């Protein structure tokens, strides 16, 4: 089944407008989803929209309400909400450009593929893609998606463009209260050297295929066993405990040195790729 575009509109750079479509870059089907079941009857739980003192209500009788005081609301009809006219409903204009490393990872939210709507749009699309790649810049703009206006970052991704929605500044918590109790004392030199050597030893090119969702795999195996009518108990193996001193404090230096010597186990190995596939692969 062909993917369905989540948004259709224009990607604008100054006076140049490019028809584009937006597709989700992630999928939810890989995870295990559950339904809540009423155990005595074995039937799924359903949820009803109810009003206290009234009971279940019709969906057509539901409107949006903004609570400006306790139990006092301003009611908004769906037509009133839809009447708000924003240019970003149909146009994503790149209004600013920043360096590829200038945006903190804290701001990035969700990735999408931004593709040309037709062959006629491809020439201008390629120009924007290659100009961003050559200048090592990310384009910033805003678009309205699913009833909300998002800040968006556009950058090259292989043969196309990747759009990532960004969080607004007021959506982030300040780090200072979280880290205020951490001492400003520097790490000991010898420990730092061993830890740095360990990091260097385990450094390798990123390959997402080398990592698997073990929890989801275990859940699927559990479901499979249950379907076969086997035991319902699941044994969870406890990993090896680190060596501890008599005062119950981890000997950090010993643990780091053991890891550096290879005692921590093998790191994930990237899967081998055929030479033909490597030849087709392009950097983002």
């Amino acid at each position: 089944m062909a993917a369905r575009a989540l948004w259709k509109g224009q990607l604008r750079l100054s006076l140049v407008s490019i028809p584009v479509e937006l597709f989700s870059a992630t999928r939810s089907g890989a995870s295990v989803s559950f339904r809540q079941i009423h155990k005595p009857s074995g039937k799924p739980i359903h949820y009803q929209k109810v009003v206290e003192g009234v009971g279940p209500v019709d969906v057509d009788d539901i409107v949006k309400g903004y609570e400006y005081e306790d139990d006092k609301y301003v009611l908004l009809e769906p037509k009133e909400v839809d009447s708000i006219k924003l240019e970003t409903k149909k146009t994503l204009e790149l209004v600013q450009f920043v360096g590829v490393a200038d945006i903190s990872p804290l701001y990035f939210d969700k990735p999408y593929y931004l593709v040309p709507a037709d062959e006629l749009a491809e020439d201008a699309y390629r120009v924007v893609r290659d100009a961003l790649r050559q200048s090592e810049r990310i384009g910033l703009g805003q678009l309205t998606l699913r009833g909300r206006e998002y800040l968006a970052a556009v950058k090259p991704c292989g043969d196309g463009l990747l759009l990532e929605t960004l969080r607004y500044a007021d959506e982030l918590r300040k780090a200072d209260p979280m880290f205020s109790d951490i001492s400003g004392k520097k790490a000991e030199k010898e420990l730092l050297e061993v830890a740095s050597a360990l990091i260097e030893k385990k450094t390798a090119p990123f390959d997402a295929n080398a990592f698997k969702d073990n929890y989801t795999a275990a859940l699927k195996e559990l479901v499979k066993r249950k379907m076969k009518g086997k035991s319902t108990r699941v044994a969870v193996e406890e990993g090896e405990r680190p060596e501890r001193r008599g005062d119950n404090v981890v000997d950090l230096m010993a643990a780091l040195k053991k890891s550096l010597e290879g005692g921590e186990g093998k790191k994930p190995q990237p899967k081998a790729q055929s030479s033909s596939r490597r030849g087709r692969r392009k950097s983002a």
Side-chain angles (χ1 to χ4, degrees), residues 5-12 17-22 87-92 114-117 121 143:
L6 302 176
W7 182 87
K8 296 182 180 181
Q10 303 286 323
L11 174 64
R12 182 183 297 169
S17 293
I18 309 166
V20 292
E21 297 179 348
L22 194 70
E87 187 178 358
T88 52
K89 284 186 176 182
K90 290 296 182 183
T91 303
L92 168 60
L114 191 64
V115 303
L143 85 161

Side-chain angles (χ1 to χ4, degrees), residues 246-275:
D247 58 358
N248 208 33
V249 177
V250 175
D251 188 337
L252 184 56
M253 178 62 82
L256 286 172
K257 286 185 175 180
K258 183 177 180 180
S259 297
L260 190 59
E261 294 168 0
E264 82 290 348
K266 296 181 179 179
K267 62 184 178 181
Q269 295 295 325
K271 294 183 177 180
Q273 295 180 333
S274 66
S275 58

Side-chain angles (χ1 to χ4, degrees), residues 63-225:
V63 297
K64 294 181 182 295
Y66 175 78
E67 187 174 15
Y68 61 94
E69 290 181 11
D70 289 345
D71 296 327
K72 292 185 179 180
Y73 304 88
V74 173
L75 303 183
L76 300 174
E77 297 288 343
K79 290 183 179 180
E80 293 177 308
V81 177
D82 293 339
S83 68
I84 298 176
K85 297 189 181 298
L86 293 173
E87 187 178 358
T88 52
K89 284 186 176 182
K90 290 296 182 183
T91 303
L92 168 60
E93 182 172 5
L94 301 181
V95 297
Q96 183 185 347
F97 298 89
V98 299
V100 294
D102 288 350
I103 303 177
S104 167
L106 282 171
Y107 286 95
F108 289 99
D109 182 24
K110 189 174 181 181
Y112 297 86
Y113 295 127
L114 191 64
V115 303
D118 50 48
E119 290 185 8
L120 294 177
E122 288 188 12
D123 285 342
Y125 178 91
R126 282 192 290 265
V127 170
V128 172
R129 177 201 64 195
D130 294 348
L132 288 173
R133 178 173 286 127
Q134 182 174 305
S135 62
E136 297 185 343
R137 294 290 187 272
I138 295 174
L140 298 179
Q142 290 177 282
L143 85 161
T144 300
L145 180 67
R146 293 172 174 169
R148 180 185 172 188
E149 188 174 53
Y150 290 90
L151 176 60
V154 176
K155 55 187 176 183
C157 177
D159 290 332
L161 290 172
L162 183 72
L163 181 149
E164 291 187 83
T165 53
L166 302 176
R167 298 178 179 90
Y168 288 100
D170 60 4
E171 294 182 79
L172 296 177
R173 292 179 175 176
K174 293 186 179 298
D176 292 343
M178 308 295 177
F179 300 149
S180 59
D181 292 336
I182 301 176
S183 170
K185 182 181 177 181
K186 300 294 184 181
E188 294 182 16
K189 184 178 179 181
E190 290 184 0
L191 290 171
L192 184 60
E193 289 176 352
V194 178
S196 298
L198 177 59
I199 291 172
E200 184 63 30
K201 177 184 177 182
K202 296 175 71 66
T203 297
F206 175 68
D207 180 9
N209 290 320
F211 300 88
K212 301 300 179 185
D213 185 348
N214 298 306
Y215 183 68
T216 296
L219 280 177
K220 290 180 177 179
E221 182 61 30
L222 173 60
V223 171
K224 188 184 296 183
R225 289 201 305 271

Side-chain angles (χ1 to χ4, degrees), residues 12-27:
R12 182 183 297 169
L13 175 60
S14 189
L15 300 178
V16 178
S17 293
I18 309 166
V20 292
E21 297 179 348
L22 194 70
F23 297 88
S24 176
T26 61
R27 60 189 181 94

